Amino acid sequence: MKFLDLVKARQSVRGYLSKEVEREKIERCLEAAQLAPSASNSQPWSFIVVDDPKLKEAVAKETFSQLISFNRFSLQAPVLIILISERSGFLNKVAEAIKDKQFSLIDIGIAAEHFCLQAVEEGLGTCMLGWFNEKGVKKLLNIPQQRRVELIITMGYPVSTEIRPKKRKPIDQIRSYNSHRLPK
Ligand SMILES: Cc1cc2nc3c(=O)[nH]c(=O)nc-3n(C[C@H](O)[C@H](O)[C@H](O)COP(=O)(O)O)c2cc1C
């Protein structure tokens, strides 16, 4: 697929078939994530693949509650990918402090998108989840207290392959050349 077509085909998938996802496909998505760039090449990430059905159900239940239930669809996804921010090197920590920037979050976002784009290539759907009970997820997966779970990606074969129109700000509202000049 041409790159821009791949980007257009990626969308948040919130309905999954109960079809098993092949591990070779998951591995290729992880390879795409592994190859993502990162500040000082610090690669401050790790990934837990949760495909054991019972464990997966327990983790999925940490992404919603009775009150806030928009992530309930995660129960349908046969695979969950847990993105953890790992310790970044000393140099990176200094750079983050001086520049008042959290590079590791940027790095993990890029890795997550690499993962999701490769998933499209594999005929799979994904959705990034930023809303979940971090404490509960950590407990279920033996993640050390000092680590952060930054993102969860649901993954599986989509119920529908129809590509929805994208809801995005018009390019004129987000782009200017040579100076910060956006329409009011
Ligand atoms: C950091 C991040 C967190 C997100 N968290 C959630 C979430 O908790 N639940 C959900 O259904 N979608 C979540 N999304 C998906 C966005 O809602 C979605 O990407 C956006 O609406 C654009 O739609 P599209 O992905 O279909 O193009 C998240 C996306 C990102 C990048």
Side-chain angles (χ1 to χ4, degrees), residues 10-12 14 71 73 127-131 164 168:
R10 190 220 52 82
Q11 59 187 353
S12 293
R14 300 184 177 92
N71 282 341
F73 72 89
C127 185
M128 296 184 204
L129 306 184
W131 183 277
R164 303 182 300 268
R168 295 295 188 266

